[in-house]
Amino acid sequence: MADNVGNKIAKNFSEDVPFMESGNFHVKGASNLDWGMKDRLSRIFNPDTGKTIMLAFDHGYFMGPTSGLERLDLLVPRLEKYVDCLMGTRGAIRSSVSPTYNKPIALRASSGSSILQDDLSHESMVVDIEDAVRMNASAIAIQTFIGADGQKETIEQLNKAVNLGTRYSIPTMGVVAVGKEMERTTQFFLLATRMLAEFGVQIVKTYYCDDFEKVAAACPVPLVVAGGKKIPEKDALTLAYKSIQGGAAGVDMGRNIFQSQYPEEMIQAVVKVVHEGYSDIEAYEYFQHLIN
Ligand code: 5RP
């Protein structure tokens, strides 16, 4: 029986106290890592702001050609110049993304299910670490399903990725997946993000939730927030703003960029929030200025 009955609930997160200083490296929890890891993390997280904007276009690996991603070769050239990092599969990147962009890659390295199934929680690491090296990946992304059917296998696969990534100094980005039946509670994200960090990932991708400051404070590596399903631009900018205010080190947005009627303008507004300290209101005004 799990030790979850009578366990004292965590509540003292000291959200206002900055994460420990150990060295002058700008990525949380990474001060003691090898030079190669730091180099790759510095390609993802801007050394001036400590933040990142990833463009996620990996949806096809389980959804096929979803709206906005019908033609990656046409979409990515419109957006790459505004973002810090590109997140996609090796097939999409090799076929449709020019290496001349010289952008860091967060390589989607797990898969195993498709939208034809009810249970999407069974994924493995399917990309060899040598192929990630060949692609000059700056991170490998592995989906982990805490609390779902696929928990054990995805935890094992995540740890395998951390082992292999450590061998070659490639950071692992643990992606917190939310199972179909699960609620997006603060308690869940506290648990899942901290578990992934304790497994040794260098970056955690997660969703925004209530009391996000607590989640960020309790996670000793940077949190990057996913955008999720398409919502109005104003709301997506508020999501980005609240995430950054709450302690996120960036966003990894997909549908709220490429499913917007104005993807270039939207990504530029997100840049203002993440790197330039704009509020959501200021960023939305900027967005409207760009589209009018
Ligand atoms: C799914 C992912 C996707 O990259 C991510 O969720 C897509 O971004 P968005 O939700 O903003 O469309 O990691 O596991």
Side-chain angles (χ1 to χ4, degrees):
M1 183 63 189
D3 188 13
N4 60 357
V5 179
N7 196 15
K8 281 180 93 172
I9 305 265
K11 51 179 186 242
N12 184 11
F13 295 94
S14 305
E15 298 96 302
D16 300 332
V17 182
F19 190 72
M20 69 167 197
E21 284 295 329
S22 60
N24 57 1
F25 195 59
H26 62 288
V27 180
K28 189 178 184 183
S31 296
N32 300 322
L33 300 181
D34 180 72
W35 193 94
M37 279 274 185
K38 286 181 167 170
D39 176 64
R40 289 187 169 93
L41 289 167
S42 295
R43 285 168 53 73
I44 297 174
F45 294 93
N46 181 324
D48 293 331
T49 65
K51 306 275 191 312
T52 190
I53 299 169
M54 298 185 180
L55 176 66
F57 52 90
D58 58 332
H59 307 58
Y61 93 92
F62 73 107
M63 286 181 166
T66 194
S67 170
L69 294 185
E70 294 89 345
R71 288 287 302 270
L72 288 169
D73 61 315
L74 302 181
L75 177 80
V76 178
R78 293 168 62 192
L79 301 178
E80 60 82 18
K81 62 176 95 44
Y82 302 114
V83 303
D84 300 294
C85 180
L86 299 171
M87 181 187 185
T89 60
R90 58 181 169 183
I93 292 169
R94 278 207 172 99
S95 63
S96 312
V97 176
S98 170
T100 60
Y101 298 154
N102 206 14
K103 284 278 166 184
I105 297 297
L107 183 64
R108 159 66 63 179
S110 66
S111 72
S113 49
S114 78
I115 48 168
L116 298 179
Q117 297 161 286
D118 275 344
D119 180 4
L120 297 173
S121 74
H122 299 278
E123 290 204 1
S124 318
M125 178 174 177
V126 291
V127 174
D128 285 344
I129 197 69
E130 289 77 13
D131 207 28
V133 172
R134 268 191 293 275
M135 292 200 66
N136 199 25
S138 291
I140 45 176
I142 304 284
Q143 191 106 317
T144 313
F145 290 81
I146 304 300
D149 272 2
Q151 173 172 288
K152 182 168 185 293
E153 72 199 67
T154 56
I155 286 177
E156 284 170 358
Q157 295 297 310
L158 183 77
N159 279 281
K160 176 177 152 191
V162 171
N163 289 333
L164 292 168
T166 304
R167 189 180 300 166
Y168 294 98
S169 276
I170 299 185
T172 300
M173 179 162 79
V175 180
V176 174
V178 183
K180 215 169 72 175
E181 309 298 330
M182 293 169 60
E183 289 181 38
R184 297 181 175 214
T185 61
T186 307
Q187 250 356 85
F188 170 73
F189 289 113
L190 277 167
L191 172 74
T193 56
R194 179 61 172 263
M195 284 179 70
L196 269 51
E198 301 246 358
F199 296 143
V201 305
Q202 288 76 25
I203 310 167
V204 173
K205 174 173 169 174
T206 187
Y207 291 92
Y208 183 76
C209 63
D210 292 341
D211 289 325
F212 188 79
E213 317 71 50
K214 292 186 171 45
V215 178
C219 185
V221 299
L223 295 182
V224 174
V225 173
K229 287 191 181 142
K230 173 77 176 74
I231 52 179
E233 281 81 1
K234 190 169 190 292
D235 298 341
L237 290 168
T238 298
L239 171 74
Y241 175 68
K242 285 163 102 178
S243 301
I244 297 298
Q245 292 302 305
V251 295
D252 186 4
M253 278 193 165
R255 289 163 287 182
N256 279 293
I257 306 296
F258 60 71
Q259 290 181 351
S260 168
Q261 192 184 344
Y262 307 101
E264 286 102 331
E265 291 80 0
M266 185 57 188
I267 194 72
Q268 289 178 74
V270 173
V271 170
K272 295 288 179 196
V273 171
V274 173
H275 287 307
E276 297 183 29
Y278 275 37
S279 70
D280 48 347
I281 295 165
E282 291 167 328
Y284 188 61
E285 282 170 6
Y286 179 72
F287 171 74
Q288 286 184 309
H289 157 77
L290 290 178
I291 65 173
N292 286 317

